[in-house]
Amino acid sequence: MLETQAVDYHAILPELIVSGTILLVIVVDVFLGRDRKWWAMPISLVGTAGALAATLTLIGERRETFDGMFVVDPFAVLFKVFFLGTAIVVLAISLRYFREGRYFQGEYYFLLLTAFLGSLTIASSRDLLMLFISLELVSAPGFLIAAFRKSDPRSNESGLKFFLIGVLSAAVMLYGMSLIYGVTGTTRLDGIAEALAGPAGEGPLPLAAIFMVIVGFGFKVSAVPFQFWAPDTYEGAPVPVAAFLSVASKAAGFAGLLILMFLGFGPLSEFWTPIFFVLSAATMTIGNLLALQQTQVVRLLAYSSIAQAGYMLLPFALVGGSVGNDRAAFAASMLYILIYGVMNLGAFTVVVAIARDAPGVLVSDFAGLSRRAPVLAIGMGVFLVSLGGIPPTAGFWAKFFIFTAAIERGGLGVWLAAIMVVNSVISLYYYLAIAKQMFFAEGEDRPLASPALLTGVAALAMVAVIVLGVYPDLFARFPPGATLVP
Amino acid sequence: MIRLPLVLFFSAGLFSVGVYGVLARRNAVLVLMSIELMLNAVNVNLVAFSQLLRDTILAGQVFALFVITVAAAEVGIGLAIVILIYRNRETINIDEVNLLKW
């Protein structure tokens, strides 16, 4: 017989606080007058900050509850702090955009927080069922907020494409998960790893299952050849939502992928490393080549984020050597995701500020920005240089860790490292094209009115990128031992 | 007692029909229904495996329940988006929804 288990409420406190805030936001919204609907944002902000404080009390803890389906360890805490920080930034850059557009603000913050709740539980999932529900919790509100400008056909289209691809990928991934369950007899990741190391791991069935799961995640993290939805969705969605999709949604997908590949499918790494080799090489190359031709900045950042996903996928192709190699690969991928999050959020913050003035956000709209809004221009310059991987910014170290991990692994890793270096050079062309517009092109002379909130967030992200560039092991040291490699 | 391979072939067939529908149909509602077929193939798999494995905690059947719930929620979201598109464009043919490209 099953016994009732005590729930460890401290372990799930951040999720509880966010859930409470979600309910509060949607209830309070009903009672607010038309001009006060934006109050939903400060309420969400307080709730998110509370959840962040609760997460900080869990540093260094190792807890598990719900029969091991939900785990708090340094890896989970690190990602939760990252997701909650992202939530605060996305909330801050959403306020003006949605208030001035008079969209359904209560519903928007409700959906946004729900998506972040999903990303919090992903980091703690150690079970296929939990992982699936968390992923859906991130995606499903995402479909709706992508289509949030209801009367704009482009936003509708963005939502439809994201929805169809999202549900299709979920179905493929689920079919793979159901086969994994059939082969191994459990949905717990530790049990799956144990079973796959034994006779259950033989034959084509587990391989087909893993392949389907990887395809499902390929859609989620927009890896080539499953990337085509991303540029359309980012361009059509409201700009703060594009920031959310390209950072939080993508990082959530990668967190799930890290957990699944390293904890669950580790014993069959010989089968899946070649898949990641192809995915990674194709994703960074094609993402970069298509980004070269873009004139619309959100679309350019979309292709850039596809290319960046290629770098994040690279360490997965390095698994299977010594334990030391695996650890280096894991840390490299994780650090890249987190650092990418900081610099990309910063870039999107500047884009939100520009979009208030020029809704089309073309590259030429950045002309003369250094004279119109110096703080934003310097910030954007730092983010672009960092995305391109030039020292002394955080982006350089992110690439450096992947590069050294690949070289130390040897074999095909050296090839991947070479492809990555070539791609970084290509990417500089389009990143610096924007910088050139900002600092050297002649543009309008009237100053750009940027809300203090946006300028502040951009300045903060800029400081973070530079500090991480000077002390690159900040993420690696805090909290210590955030690895899933035994 | 139905034998397991039979059930697995049935679910694989159902899944394939769903994939074909997603790729070949142009009407957004039919695409949605094809995706439902794929999700139901997953449910058949999960329940069949749960029965075969004599799983004492019924993980597969519980999983299937969650899949049903999530599928229902997703159809709700999908129809909402399709209705929006119909209001603005008077069409739900996904080939005609093509404002954004390259």
Side-chain angles (χ1 to χ4, degrees), chain A residues 18-51:
Chain A
V18 173
S19 310
T21 315
I22 290 170
L23 295 178
L24 192 66
V25 164
I26 201 73
V27 171
V28 167
D29 180 62
V30 179
F31 298 101
L32 289 174
R34 239 187 114 64
D35 291 327
R36 293 193 184 148
K37 291 284 187 201
W38 63 274
W39 284 15
M41 185 273 182
I43 297 173
S44 314
L45 202 60
V46 170
T48 313

Side-chain angles (χ1 to χ4, degrees), chain B:
Chain B
M1 187 72 188
I2 305 173
R3 307 237 317 273
L4 182 76
L6 219 59
V7 182
L8 292 188
F9 277 119
F10 169 65
S11 98
L14 204 59
F15 190 78
S16 312
V17 172
V19 172
Y20 172 78
V22 170
L23 298 177
R25 291 292 177 174
R26 305 278 52 120
N27 182 312
V29 175
L30 285 177
V31 173
L32 259 180
M33 291 176 67
S34 306
I35 292 172
E36 287 302 299
L37 280 186
M38 295 169 72
L39 289 173
N40 282 329
V42 172
N43 288 339
V44 171
N45 255 356
L46 285 170
V47 174
F49 282 132
S50 177
Q51 195 65 21
L52 166 86
L53 296 163
R54 310 227 173 279
D55 193 341
T56 46
I57 57 167
L58 298 175
Q61 301 191 24
V62 173
F63 207 139
L65 277 180
F66 275 99
V67 173
I68 293 169
T69 318
V70 169
E74 277 181 342
V75 169
I77 291 173
L79 287 178
I81 294 175
V82 170
I83 287 173
L84 265 188
I85 291 198
Y86 184 75
R87 278 196 191 148
N88 288 326
R89 308 278 302 270
E90 306 252 309
T91 176
I92 49 168
N93 184 325
I94 48 178
D95 281 344
E96 289 172 27
V97 182
N98 56 2
L99 289 174
L100 301 161
K101 55 177 103 168
W102 292 110

